[in-house]
Coordinates of all heavy atoms in Angstrom, one line a residue:
M5 N 146.9 107.7 286.2 CA 148.2 107.5 285.7 C 148.4 108.2 284.4 O 149.5 108.8 284.1 CB 148.5 106.0 285.5 CG 149.8 105.6 285.0 SD 151.0 106.0 286.3 CE 152.4 105.2 285.7
R6 N 147.4 108.3 283.6 CA 147.4 109.0 282.3 C 147.7 110.5 282.6 O 148.4 111.1 281.8 CB 146.2 108.8 281.5 CG 146.2 109.4 280.2 CD 145.0 109.0 279.4 NE 145.0 109.6 278.1 CZ 145.3 109.0 277.0 NH1 145.7 107.8 277.0 NH2 145.3 109.7 275.8
S7 N 147.1 111.1 283.6 CA 147.3 112.5 283.8 C 148.7 112.8 284.3 O 149.3 113.8 284.0 CB 146.3 113.0 284.9 OG 146.6 112.4 286.1
H8 N 149.4 111.8 285.0 CA 150.8 112.0 285.4 C 151.7 112.0 284.1 O 152.6 112.9 284.1 CB 151.2 110.8 286.3 CG 150.5 110.8 287.6 ND1 151.2 110.3 288.7 CD2 149.4 111.3 288.0 CE1 150.4 110.5 289.8 NE2 149.3 111.1 289.4
L9 N 151.4 111.2 283.2 CA 152.2 111.2 281.9 C 152.0 112.5 281.2 O 152.9 113.1 280.6 CB 151.9 110.1 281.0 CG 152.3 108.7 281.6 CD1 151.8 107.6 280.7 CD2 153.8 108.6 281.8
A10 N 150.7 113.0 281.2 CA 150.5 114.3 280.5 C 151.2 115.4 281.2 O 151.7 116.3 280.6 CB 149.0 114.5 280.4
L11 N 151.1 115.4 282.6 CA 151.8 116.5 283.3 C 153.3 116.4 283.1 O 154.0 117.4 283.1 CB 151.5 116.3 284.8 CG 150.0 116.6 285.2 CD1 149.7 116.3 286.6 CD2 149.6 118.1 284.8
F12 N 153.9 115.2 283.1 CA 155.3 115.0 282.8 C 155.7 115.6 281.4 O 156.7 116.2 281.3 CB 155.7 113.6 283.0 CG 157.2 113.3 282.7 CD1 158.1 113.7 283.7 CD2 157.6 112.7 281.6 CE1 159.4 113.5 283.4 CE2 158.9 112.5 281.3 CZ 159.8 112.9 282.3
A13 N 154.8 115.3 280.5 CA 155.1 115.8 279.1 C 155.1 117.3 279.1 O 155.9 118.0 278.4 CB 154.1 115.2 278.1
V14 N 154.1 117.9 279.8 CA 154.1 119.4 279.8 C 155.3 120.0 280.5 O 155.9 120.9 280.1 CB 152.8 119.9 280.6 CG1 152.8 121.4 280.8 CG2 151.6 119.5 279.7
A15 N 155.7 119.4 281.7 CA 156.9 119.8 282.4 C 158.1 119.7 281.6 O 159.0 120.6 281.5 CB 157.0 119.1 283.7
T16 N 158.2 118.6 280.8 CA 159.4 118.4 280.0 C 159.4 119.4 278.8 O 160.5 119.9 278.5 CB 159.4 116.9 279.4 OG1 159.3 116.0 280.5 CG2 160.6 116.7 278.5
R17 N 158.3 119.7 278.3 CA 158.2 120.6 277.2 C 158.6 122.0 277.7 O 159.4 122.7 277.0 CB 156.8 120.7 276.6 CG 156.6 121.6 275.5 CD 155.3 121.5 274.8 NE 154.2 121.3 275.7 CZ 153.3 122.3 276.0 NH1 153.5 123.5 275.5 NH2 152.3 122.1 276.8
F18 N 158.1 122.4 278.8 CA 158.5 123.8 279.4 C 160.0 123.8 279.7 O 160.7 124.8 279.5 CB 157.7 124.1 280.6 CG 156.3 124.6 280.3 CD1 155.2 124.0 280.9 CD2 156.1 125.5 279.3 CE1 153.9 124.5 280.6 CE2 154.8 126.0 279.0 CZ 153.7 125.5 279.7
T19 N 160.5 122.7 280.2 CA 161.9 122.7 280.6 C 162.8 122.8 279.3 O 163.8 123.6 279.3 CB 162.3 121.4 281.3 OG1 161.5 121.3 282.5 CG2 163.7 121.3 281.7
L20 N 162.4 122.1 278.3 CA 163.2 122.2 277.1 C 163.1 123.6 276.4 O 164.1 124.1 275.9 CB 162.8 121.1 276.1 CG 163.1 119.7 276.5 CD1 162.5 118.7 275.5 CD2 164.6 119.5 276.6
I21 N 162.0 124.2 276.5 CA 161.8 125.6 276.0 C 162.7 126.5 276.8 O 163.4 127.4 276.2 CB 160.3 126.0 276.1 CG1 159.5 125.3 275.0 CG2 160.2 127.5 275.8 CD1 158.0 125.4 275.2
E22 N 162.7 126.4 278.1 CA 163.6 127.3 278.9 C 165.1 127.0 278.7 O 165.9 127.9 278.6 CB 163.3 127.1 280.4 CG 161.9 127.7 280.8 CD 161.9 129.2 280.5 OE1 162.9 129.9 280.8 OE2 160.9 129.7 280.0
H23 N 165.4 125.7 278.5 CA 166.8 125.4 278.1 C 167.2 126.0 276.8 O 168.3 126.4 276.6 CB 167.0 123.9 278.2 CG 167.3 123.4 279.5 ND1 166.4 123.4 280.5 CD2 168.4 122.7 280.0 CE1 166.9 122.9 281.6 NE2 168.1 122.4 281.3
G24 N 166.3 126.0 275.9 CA 166.5 126.6 274.6 C 166.8 128.1 274.7 O 167.6 128.7 273.9
R25 N 166.2 128.8 275.6 CA 166.4 130.2 275.8 C 167.7 130.5 276.5 O 168.3 131.5 276.3 CB 165.2 130.8 276.6 CG 163.9 130.8 275.8 CD 162.8 131.4 276.6 NE 161.6 131.4 275.9 CZ 160.4 131.6 276.5 NH1 160.3 131.8 277.8 NH2 159.3 131.5 275.8
N26 N 168.1 129.6 277.4 CA 169.3 129.8 278.2 C 170.4 129.0 277.5 O 170.4 127.8 277.7 CB 169.0 129.3 279.6 CG 170.2 129.6 280.5 OD1 171.3 130.0 280.1 ND2 170.0 129.4 281.8
R27 N 171.3 129.6 276.9 CA 172.3 128.9 276.1 C 173.3 128.1 277.0 O 173.7 127.0 276.6 CB 173.1 129.9 275.2 CG 172.2 130.4 274.1 CD 173.0 131.3 273.2 NE 172.2 132.1 272.3 CZ 172.0 131.7 271.1 NH1 172.6 130.7 270.6 NH2 171.2 132.4 270.3
F28 N 173.6 128.6 278.2 CA 174.5 127.9 279.1 C 173.9 126.6 279.6 O 174.5 125.6 279.6 CB 174.9 128.8 280.2 CG 175.8 128.1 281.2 CD1 177.1 127.8 280.8 CD2 175.4 127.8 282.5 CE1 178.0 127.2 281.7 CE2 176.3 127.2 283.3 CZ 177.5 126.9 283.0
A29 N 172.6 126.7 279.9 CA 171.9 125.5 280.3 C 171.8 124.5 279.2 O 172.0 123.3 279.4 CB 170.5 125.8 280.9
L30 N 171.6 125.0 278.0 CA 171.5 124.1 276.8 C 172.9 123.4 276.6 O 173.0 122.2 276.3 CB 171.1 124.8 275.6 CG 170.9 124.0 274.3 CD1 169.8 123.0 274.5 CD2 170.6 125.0 273.2
L31 N 174.0 124.2 276.8 CA 175.3 123.6 276.6 C 175.6 122.5 277.7 O 176.1 121.5 277.4 CB 176.3 124.8 276.8 CG 177.8 124.3 276.7 CD1 178.2 124.0 275.3 CD2 178.7 125.4 277.3
L32 N 175.1 122.8 278.9 CA 175.3 121.8 279.9 C 174.5 120.5 279.6 O 175.1 119.4 279.8 CB 174.8 122.3 281.3 CG 175.7 123.3 282.0 CD1 175.1 123.8 283.3 CD2 177.1 122.8 282.2
V33 N 173.3 120.6 279.2 CA 172.5 119.4 278.9 C 173.1 118.7 277.7 O 173.2 117.5 277.7 CB 171.0 119.8 278.6 CG1 170.2 118.7 278.1 CG2 170.4 120.3 279.9
V34 N 173.5 119.4 276.6 CA 173.9 118.8 275.4 C 175.3 118.2 275.5 O 175.6 117.1 275.0 CB 173.8 119.7 274.2 CG1 174.4 119.2 273.0 CG2 172.3 120.1 274.0
L35 N 176.2 118.9 276.2 CA 177.6 118.5 276.2 C 178.1 117.9 277.5 O 178.6 116.8 277.6 CB 178.5 119.7 275.9 CG 178.4 120.2 274.4 CD1 179.3 121.4 274.2 CD2 178.8 119.1 273.4
F36 N 177.8 118.6 278.6 CA 178.4 118.2 279.9 C 177.8 116.9 280.4 O 178.6 116.0 280.9 CB 178.2 119.3 280.9 CG 178.8 119.0 282.3 CD1 180.1 119.1 282.5 CD2 177.9 118.7 283.3 CE1 180.7 118.8 283.7 CE2 178.5 118.4 284.6 CZ 179.8 118.5 284.8
V37 N 176.5 116.8 280.4 CA 175.9 115.6 281.0 C 176.3 114.3 280.2 O 176.8 113.3 280.8 CB 174.4 115.7 281.0 CG1 173.7 114.4 281.4 CG2 174.0 116.8 282.0
P38 N 176.3 114.3 278.9 CA 176.8 113.0 278.2 C 178.2 112.8 278.4 O 178.6 111.6 278.6 CB 176.4 113.3 276.7 CG 175.4 114.3 276.7 CD 175.6 115.2 277.9
V39 N 179.1 113.8 278.4 CA 180.5 113.6 278.6 C 180.8 113.1 280.0 O 181.5 112.1 280.2 CB 181.3 114.9 278.3 CG1 182.7 114.8 278.8 CG2 181.2 115.3 276.8
W40 N 180.1 113.6 281.0 CA 180.3 113.2 282.4 C 179.9 111.8 282.6 O 180.6 111.0 283.2 CB 179.6 114.2 283.3 CG 179.9 114.0 284.7 CD1 179.1 113.4 285.7 CD2 181.1 114.3 285.4 NE1 179.7 113.4 286.9 CE2 181.0 113.9 286.7 CE3 182.3 114.9 285.0 CZ2 182.0 114.1 287.6 CZ3 183.3 115.0 285.9 CH2 183.2 114.7 287.2
T41 N 178.7 111.4 282.0 CA 178.3 110.0 282.2 C 179.2 109.1 281.4 O 179.4 107.9 281.9 CB 176.8 109.8 281.8 OG1 176.7 110.3 280.4 CG2 175.9 110.6 282.7
S42 N 179.7 109.5 280.3 CA 180.6 108.6 279.5 C 181.9 108.4 280.3 O 182.4 107.3 280.3 CB 180.9 109.2 278.2 OG 179.7 109.3 277.4
L43 N 182.4 109.5 280.9 CA 183.6 109.3 281.7 C 183.4 108.4 282.9 O 184.3 107.6 283.3 CB 184.1 110.7 282.1 CG 184.8 111.5 281.0 CD1 185.1 112.9 281.6 CD2 186.0 110.9 280.5
A44 N 182.3 108.5 283.5 CA 182.0 107.7 284.7 C 181.9 106.2 284.2 O 182.3 105.3 284.9 CB 180.7 108.1 285.3
Y45 N 181.3 106.0 283.1 CA 181.2 104.6 282.5 C 182.5 104.1 282.2 O 182.8 102.9 282.5 CB 180.3 104.6 281.3 CG 180.2 103.3 280.6 CD1 179.3 102.3 281.2 CD2 180.9 103.0 279.5 CE1 179.2 101.0 280.6 CE2 180.8 101.7 278.9 CZ 179.9 100.8 279.5 OH 179.9 99.5 278.9
L46 N 183.4 104.9 281.6 CA 184.7 104.4 281.3 C 185.6 104.2 282.5 O 186.5 103.4 282.5 CB 185.4 105.4 280.4 CG 184.8 105.5 279.0 CD1 185.5 106.6 278.2 CD2 185.0 104.2 278.2
A47 N 185.3 104.9 283.6 CA 186.1 104.7 284.8 C 185.8 103.5 285.6 O 186.6 103.0 286.4 CB 185.9 106.0 285.7
M48 N 184.6 102.9 285.3 CA 184.3 101.7 286.1 C 185.0 100.5 285.5 O 185.1 100.3 284.3 CB 182.8 101.4 285.9 CG 181.9 102.4 286.6 SD 182.2 102.4 288.3 CE 181.9 104.1 288.8
P49 N 185.6 99.6 286.4 CA 186.3 98.4 285.9 C 185.3 97.4 285.3 O 184.2 97.3 285.8 CB 187.0 97.9 287.1 CG 186.2 98.4 288.2 CD 185.6 99.7 287.8
D50 N 185.8 96.6 284.4 CA 185.0 95.5 283.8 C 185.0 94.2 284.7 O 184.1 93.4 284.6 CB 185.4 95.2 282.4 CG 185.2 96.3 281.4 OD1 184.2 97.1 281.7 OD2 185.9 96.4 280.4
T51 N 186.0 94.1 285.5 CA 186.1 92.9 286.3 C 185.6 93.2 287.8 O 185.6 94.3 288.2 CB 187.6 92.4 286.4 OG1 188.4 93.5 287.0 CG2 188.1 92.1 285.0
R52 N 185.3 92.1 288.4 CA 184.8 92.2 289.8 C 186.0 92.4 290.7 O 187.1 91.9 290.4 CB 184.1 90.9 290.2 CG 182.8 90.7 289.5 CD 182.2 89.4 289.9 NE 181.3 89.7 291.1 CZ 180.5 88.8 291.6 NH1 180.5 87.6 291.2 NH2 179.8 89.1 292.6
P53 N 185.9 93.1 291.8 CA 187.0 93.3 292.7 C 187.4 91.9 293.4 O 186.6 91.0 293.5 CB 186.4 94.3 293.7 CG 185.0 94.1 293.7 CD 184.7 93.7 292.3
G54 N 188.6 91.9 293.8 CA 189.1 90.6 294.4 C 188.5 90.4 295.8 O 188.4 89.3 296.3
C55 N 188.2 91.5 296.5 CA 187.6 91.4 297.8 C 186.1 91.5 297.6 O 185.6 92.0 296.7 CB 188.1 92.5 298.7 SG 187.8 94.1 298.1
G56 N 185.4 91.0 298.6 CA 183.9 91.1 298.5 C 183.3 91.3 299.9 O 184.0 91.3 300.9
S57 N 182.1 91.5 299.9 CA 181.4 91.6 301.2 C 180.2 90.7 301.2 O 179.6 90.3 300.2 CB 180.9 93.1 301.4 OG 179.9 93.4 300.4
A58 N 180.0 90.2 302.4 CA 178.9 89.2 302.6 C 178.1 89.6 303.8 O 178.6 90.3 304.7 CB 179.4 87.8 302.8
P59 N 176.9 89.2 303.9 CA 176.1 89.5 305.1 C 176.8 88.9 306.4 O 177.5 87.9 306.2 CB 174.7 88.8 304.9 CG 174.7 88.6 303.4 CD 176.1 88.5 302.9
P60 N 176.6 89.4 307.5 CA 177.3 88.9 308.7 C 176.9 87.4 309.0 O 175.7 87.0 308.8 CB 176.7 89.8 309.8 CG 176.3 91.0 309.2 CD 175.8 90.6 307.8
G61 N 177.9 86.7 309.3 CA 177.7 85.2 309.6 C 177.7 84.3 308.4 O 177.5 83.1 308.5
R62 N 177.8 84.9 307.2 CA 177.9 84.0 306.0 C 179.2 84.2 305.3 O 179.7 85.3 305.1 CB 176.7 84.5 305.0 CG 175.4 84.2 305.6 CD 174.3 84.6 304.7 NE 174.1 83.5 303.7 CZ 173.4 83.6 302.6 NH1 172.8 84.8 302.3 NH2 173.2 82.6 301.8
P63 N 179.8 83.1 304.8 CA 181.1 83.3 304.1 C 180.9 83.9 302.8 O 179.9 83.7 302.1 CB 181.6 81.8 304.1 CG 180.4 81.0 304.1 CD 179.4 81.7 305.0
W64 N 181.9 84.6 302.3 CA 181.9 85.1 301.0 C 182.4 84.1 300.0 O 183.4 83.5 300.1 CB 182.8 86.4 300.9 CG 182.8 87.0 299.6 CD1 181.7 87.6 299.0 CD2 183.9 87.1 298.7 NE1 182.1 88.1 297.7 CE2 183.4 87.8 297.5 CE3 185.2 86.6 298.7 CZ2 184.2 88.0 296.4 CZ3 186.0 86.9 297.6 CH2 185.5 87.6 296.5
R65 N 181.6 83.8 298.9 CA 181.9 82.9 297.9 C 182.2 83.6 296.6 O 181.3 84.4 296.2 CB 180.8 81.8 297.7 CG 180.7 80.9 298.9 CD 179.7 79.8 298.6 NE 178.4 80.4 298.9 CZ 177.3 80.1 298.4 NH1 177.2 79.1 297.5 NH2 176.1 80.6 298.7
R66 N 183.3 83.3 296.0 CA 183.6 83.9 294.7 C 182.8 83.1 293.6 O 182.9 81.9 293.6 CB 185.1 83.9 294.4 CG 185.5 84.5 293.1 CD 187.0 84.5 293.0 NE 187.4 85.5 293.9 CZ 188.5 86.3 293.7 NH1 189.2 86.2 292.6 NH2 188.8 87.2 294.6
T67 N 182.1 83.9 292.8 CA 181.4 83.2 291.7 C 182.0 83.7 290.3 O 182.5 84.8 290.2 CB 179.9 83.6 291.7 OG1 179.8 85.0 291.6 CG2 179.3 83.1 293.0
A68 N 181.9 82.8 289.3 CA 182.4 83.2 288.0 C 181.4 84.1 287.3 O 180.2 84.0 287.5 CB 182.5 81.9 287.2
M69 N 182.0 85.1 286.6 CA 181.2 86.0 285.9 C 180.9 85.5 284.5 O 181.7 84.8 283.9 CB 182.0 87.4 285.7 CG 182.3 88.0 287.1 SD 181.8 89.7 287.3 CE 181.1 90.3 285.8
N70 N 179.7 85.8 284.0 CA 179.4 85.3 282.7 C 179.9 86.2 281.7 O 180.0 87.3 281.7 CB 177.8 85.2 282.6 CG 177.3 84.1 283.5 OD1 178.0 83.2 283.9 ND2 176.0 84.2 283.8

């Protein structure tokens, strides 16, 4: 397991070095990915939907959200 973490660290280091050389890739990583995930987070509703799904043969029960 320790070697996997070391290999992951090496791969991450090489990826960040290559992103530093490629300005467009760096722009995508620094700006596009956080903006896109923030927009996806904001687009999700905070309330549960009024309809639900249940396994076949079991009634759907509405539960209160905490």
Side-chain angles (χ1 to χ4, degrees):
M5 184 68 168
R6 185 175 176 100
S7 65
H8 290 210
L9 292 175
L11 293 174
F12 180 73
V14 169
T16 303
R17 181 170 43 99
F18 282 132
T19 301
L20 291 174
I21 290 169
E22 288 301 317
H23 276 62
R25 290 181 185 165
N26 185 351
R27 292 181 191 263
F28 180 67
L30 183 64
L31 178 76
L32 287 178
V33 169
V34 171
L35 294 177
F36 181 74
V37 173
V39 168
W40 189 252
T41 54
S42 297
L43 288 175
Y45 177 77
L46 291 173
M48 295 294 151
D50 291 334
T51 59
R52 293 179 89 175
C55 60
S57 61
R62 298 181 80 190
W64 179 68
R65 288 184 281 154
R66 181 174 288 216
T67 58
M69 297 231 359
N70 294 339

